[in-house]
Amino acid sequence: TVEEGDFVGIIGATGSGKSTLITHMNGLNKPTSGKIYIDGRDLWEDPEKIRDFRFLTGLVFQYPEHQLFENTVLADVCFGPMNQGLSREQAEEEAKKALAHVGVKEENFTKSPFELSGGQKKRVAIAGVLAMNPKILILDEPTAGQDYRHYTEIMEFLKHLNETLGITIIMITHDMHLMLEYTPRALVFSDGQLIDDCRASQVLCNPELVARAALKETSLFTLANRCGITPPESFVERFIQEDREVRSHGR
């Protein structure tokens, strides 16, 4: 269960079922058993209304090429809003706002999205989903291919969406530091099963869980152990908090 306004990280080894799970959240895949409820409604109760859920739940794939297809960046981002029934002018207004939010410059609006770098393609893909104003945003490795500055800009923007607009964010990541810094809650998967649901620091300070999910032990946990700091998760959380405060002041 994910509540409205949550910011959740999904972690686990390659092949553990993370990407398969998120493709069920807006009806790209249909469950072979069980049910999916979004906004209190059974996703598959009426298959003809599945389109409504796709506007409610925005999905950004790991590889942006899987969702880019128009001739220009602006046309690509306009596609979703126009599909919702907005006029071309209204769609362009939403598209330009979304592109500005993710840091795509106006000079790139008339370019083919396939001319852009991998990081810029990712931003355009995110903008294409944001332009539809979803209540739930699901991202598969949103910072892949980004340098540190752009990585931080995207994550701070997602944090802003979550905190100020109340958008629910569910994010797959292999970046354990990113998870510690931005996702208060972690869902841990292994072999297609949810094996834990807890704070990110608790996951990475649990050697048994780290091994079972084939994750990497963080250097912060190693440092806490070597210094005899207990409980280690408190040290990890305080370190991450202090690190954010220092960087926010440009020091």
Side-chain angles (χ1 to χ4, degrees):
T1 300
V2 175
E3 300 292 346
E4 184 175 357
D6 278 358
F7 198 139
V8 179
I10 299 178
I11 59 173
T14 300
S16 62
K18 306 183 301 296
S19 295
T20 301
L21 172 69
I22 64 171
T23 59
H24 284 75
M25 293 181 180
N26 71 345
L28 288 180
N29 275 325
K30 186 175 182 178
T32 53
S33 63
K35 293 182 178 181
I36 299 168
Y37 291 92
I38 296 178
D39 204 22
R41 294 174 288 163
D42 182 350
L43 184 64
W44 285 97
E45 185 176 33
D46 185 351
E48 292 185 1
K49 294 183 178 179
I50 203 78
R51 186 170 176 267
D52 296 341
F53 289 99
R54 290 181 180 150
F55 293 143
L56 180 68
T57 305
L59 177 60
V60 181
F61 295 109
Q62 180 176 359
Y63 303 106
E65 293 83 0
H66 292 176
Q67 63 192 102
L68 301 174
F69 57 92
E70 284 281 11
N71 292 326
T72 69
V73 165
L74 187 60
D76 205 293
V77 180
C78 281
F79 179 83
M82 290 182 68
N83 207 25
Q84 289 177 303
L86 273 61
S87 68
R88 179 74 191 191
E89 292 75 19
Q90 292 171 320
E92 284 196 2
E93 183 178 346
E94 293 299 324
K96 287 176 180 177
K97 283 195 296 185
L99 286 163
H101 280 318
V102 298
V104 176
K105 295 180 179 179
E106 192 169 344
E107 63 197 49
N108 290 320
F109 288 6
T110 56
K111 292 181 179 178
S112 164
F114 299 102
E115 294 177 19
L116 304 178
S117 68
Q120 287 290 314
K121 287 177 186 174
K122 174 74 79 171
R123 288 162 174 263
V124 173
I126 293 173
V129 172
L130 288 178
M132 295 186 285
N133 296 300
K135 286 187 178 180
I136 304 165
L137 185 58
I138 303 171
L139 307 104
D140 193 349
E141 298 286 356
T143 58
Q146 303 288 323
D147 61 28
Y148 181 73
R149 181 171 69 86
H150 290 128
Y151 156 117
T152 303
E153 285 176 359
I154 285 179
M155 290 309 304
E156 288 296 322
F157 173 62
L158 294 176
K159 186 170 181 283
H160 169 77
L161 290 178
N162 176 251
E163 293 180 347
T164 62
L165 301 181
I167 294 177
T168 304
I169 296 179
I170 302 170
M171 178 180 69
I172 291 175
T173 183
H174 282 96
D175 188 328
M176 297 299 100
H177 191 89
L178 179 149
M179 183 187 71
L180 284 168
E181 187 171 358
Y182 290 99
T183 63
R185 178 181 172 200
L187 304 178
V188 189
F189 280 79
S190 178
D191 296 325
Q193 300 292 321
L194 176 67
I195 61 172
D196 212 337
D197 177 354
C198 57
R199 297 201 319 275
S201 59
Q202 289 177 311
V203 175
L204 299 179
C205 293
N206 183 334
E208 182 181 338
L209 188 59
V210 166
R212 187 176 172 194
L215 303 173
K216 291 182 178 179
E217 181 181 293
T218 66
S219 56
L220 291 176
F221 175 63
T222 303
L223 176 62
N225 272 344
R226 291 183 179 179
C227 293
I229 301 171
T230 57
E233 55 265 30
S234 295
F235 167 74
V236 170
E237 289 174 356
R238 289 184 64 184
F239 184 97
I240 293 295
Q241 182 181 356
E242 178 69 17
D243 183 51
R244 280 187 60 83
E245 289 177 0
V246 169
R247 285 189 288 112
S248 69
H249 290 88
R251 290 180 286 161

